[in-house]
Amino acid sequence: DTGVSQNPRHKITKRGQNVTFRCDPISEHNRLYWYRQTLGQGPEFLTYFQNEAQLEKSRLLSDRFSAERPKGSFSTLEIQRTEQGDSAMYLCASSLGTGFYGYTFGSGTRLTVV
Amino acid sequence: SQQGEEDPQALSIQEGENATMNCSYKTSINNLQWYRQNSGRGLVHLILIRSNEREKHSGRLRVTLDTSKKSSSLLITASRAADTASYFCATLEAGNMLTFGGGTRLMVKP
């Protein structure tokens, strides 16, 4: 297992287009998290899954954002009708249980909306 | 919203010096964790301290926690140029997700 994998690493899209990111967590980890990070800021929580169930969503996650984890393994984060304000690094992390011993993060997907 | 506030926001030191970063938070926590992030990369877990612990060491890292003041500090001793990165504290509340502070950007000059 090579850790948490995110694809693509970079995505440039035109305003109004839809984009989808993928995260493959560590296989034994039952929890998966999505965070967003803008330049010079700390990561902000978006949503998390326990197995296939989406348990919590931040108010940051507008109705243009949707996340899935269909079989409790990989997850996708889709942004519809992208806006320039969506430009950020999207980070995925996974943990065993509640993450009491820490999260393992992927390298992130850098989204640029032009 | 972000739970923690890191201080300073930026720190520049010479190789061999010690670097101290502070973190304050607002609510009761299960534990506090420190992460490192190299430019444009994901976060790497460094060290964790439980709410009933006051100090913890790992290699050149020393973390303290004062739950009465809701604050923590991370000390990196004998810093190296390779320690240049952003450092984030994150708190875990009961059953919830990690909440991160704004980070300290550390530059270690050779």
Side-chain angles (χ1 to χ4, degrees), chain A residues 5-43:
Chain A
S5 175
Q6 289 189 249
N7 287 289
R9 287 295 316 279
H10 303 275
K11 178 71 177 179
I12 300 174
T13 191
K14 291 183 178 179
R15 191 171 47 189
Q17 297 293 305
N18 298 344
V19 294
T20 300
F21 311 141
R22 175 176 170 128
C23 172
D24 288 87
I26 291 175
S27 55
E28 309 85 67
H29 287 182
N30 58 342
R31 283 204 177 182
L32 184 149
Y33 311 82
W34 285 99
Y35 283 79
R36 182 172 71 185
Q37 185 179 27
T38 52
L39 204 59
Q41 301 297 314

Side-chain angles (χ1 to χ4, degrees), chain A residues 35 37 42 100-103 106, chain B residues 2 31 35 37 42 48 50 98:
Chain A
Y35 283 79
Q37 185 179 27
F100 188 80
Y101 299 101
Y103 291 4
Chain B
Q2 297 191 310
N31 65 50
Y35 288 78
Q37 185 179 35
L48 176 154
R50 294 182 176 82
L98 279 179

Side-chain angles (χ1 to χ4, degrees), chain B residues 27-44:
Chain B
T27 62
S28 296
I29 60 172
N30 276 350
N31 65 50
L32 186 144
Q33 305 176 23
W34 285 89
Y35 288 78
R36 166 195 168 125
Q37 185 179 35
N38 287 80
S39 180
R41 307 290 295 182
L43 285 81
V44 175

Side-chain angles (χ1 to χ4, degrees), chain B residues 31-86:
Chain B
N31 65 50
L32 186 144
Q33 305 176 23
W34 285 89
Y35 288 78
R36 166 195 168 125
Q37 185 179 35
N38 287 80
S39 180
R41 307 290 295 182
L43 285 81
V44 175
H45 182 262
L46 292 177
I47 192 167
L48 176 154
I49 187 164
R50 294 182 176 82
S51 59
N52 61 352
E53 296 176 315
R54 292 298 166 257
E55 187 171 313
K56 203 157 182 186
H57 297 255
S58 176
R60 293 184 297 112
L61 304 180
R62 173 179 167 252
V63 170
T64 62
L65 179 65
D66 186 335
T67 52
S68 66
K69 294 181 180 178
K70 291 187 168 57
S71 66
S72 173
S73 68
L74 172 68
L75 169 67
I76 304 174
T77 59
S79 62
R80 306 165 181 167
D83 294 329
T84 294
S86 291

Side-chain angles (χ1 to χ4, degrees), chain A residues 84-95:
Chain A
Q84 286 190 318
D86 298 331
S87 295
M89 174 80 90
Y90 290 84
L91 294 163
C92 175
S94 67
S95 71

